[in-house]
Amino acid sequence: MRREILWWFSALVMLYTAGCNPVRPIPSSATHQETPMPTRSVKTLELAPSAQITQENTVNIQMPSANPLVVQASKDLARRLDVGIEEITVISAEAVVWPDGGLGCPRPGMVYPQVQQDGMRIVLAVAGKQYRYHSGERRPPFLCE
């Protein structure tokens, strides 16, 4: 008797829950219709010859001069060298994952958190000389000397 009551009860629960979310068949006319995709104009960007992926953990930025960190690094270098910002050439700007808190430019005697940091490596040039800027997490770009 007890089994029969449990069986009926579970059957009622299954019927009730099945009725809450009815399954409706898809009309046959809708199965093979294609929805047209909206069209957008896309501008093709050409990369400079120096713009390339240099390591497994780097990603190229297609428009480095438009990146706020590149602008910040360029302004810093212009101030340091007392040159106009237009004299600075962006050689490369790439997103990197630094192996630790030293951001690829550790100072002797310093201890850094041993955790990977997302950041950027920016290479700028003035009059043929290259300058490397690094950044990571919340730290702005700094000259890696």
Side-chain angles (χ1 to χ4, degrees), residues 1 24 56 71 77 101 103:
M1 173 89 163
R24 294 186 185 109
E56 286 181 20
V71 172
L77 186 59
L103 304 178

Side-chain angles (χ1 to χ4, degrees), residues 47-48 50-54 58-64 92-95:
L47 299 177
S50 62
Q52 58 186 346
I53 297 174
T54 56
T58 63
V59 178
N60 207 25
I61 296 175
Q62 291 184 356
M63 296 177 58
S92 67
E94 48 199 9

Side-chain angles (χ1 to χ4, degrees), residues 74-75 77-88 126-127:
S74 299
K75 286 181 179 179
L77 186 59
R79 183 187 53 76
R80 287 173 184 268
L81 301 178
D82 195 28
V83 298
I85 200 164
E86 65 278 350
E87 295 179 49
I88 297 172
V126 175

Side-chain angles (χ1 to χ4, degrees), residues 7-121:
W7 185 87
W8 281 106
F9 180 75
S10 60
L12 285 173
V13 168
M14 288 189 330
L15 285 172
Y16 178 76
T17 56
C20 291
N21 297 316
V23 177
R24 294 186 185 109
I26 299 173
S28 61
S29 61
T31 57
H32 296 290
Q33 280 185 332
E34 290 187 21
T35 306
M37 297 294 290
T39 57
R40 295 181 185 167
S41 61
V42 177
K43 188 185 284 187
T44 304
L45 300 174
E46 291 186 26
L47 299 177
S50 62
Q52 58 186 346
I53 297 174
T54 56
Q55 295 178 0
E56 286 181 20
N57 63 345
T58 63
V59 178
N60 207 25
I61 296 175
Q62 291 184 356
M63 296 177 58
S65 59
N67 186 299
L69 294 175
V70 174
V71 172
Q72 202 173 3
S74 299
K75 286 181 179 179
D76 180 71
L77 186 59
R79 183 187 53 76
R80 287 173 184 268
L81 301 178
D82 195 28
V83 298
I85 200 164
E86 65 278 350
E87 295 179 49
I88 297 172
T89 304
V90 179
I91 302 298
S92 67
E94 48 199 9
V96 297
V97 178
W98 301 112
D100 58 33
L103 304 178
C105 194
R107 286 188 257 158
M110 293 291 293
V111 178
Y112 296 99
Q114 298 301 303
V115 80
Q116 290 185 340
Q117 307 275 326
D118 292 333
M120 279 193 75
R121 181 184 313 129

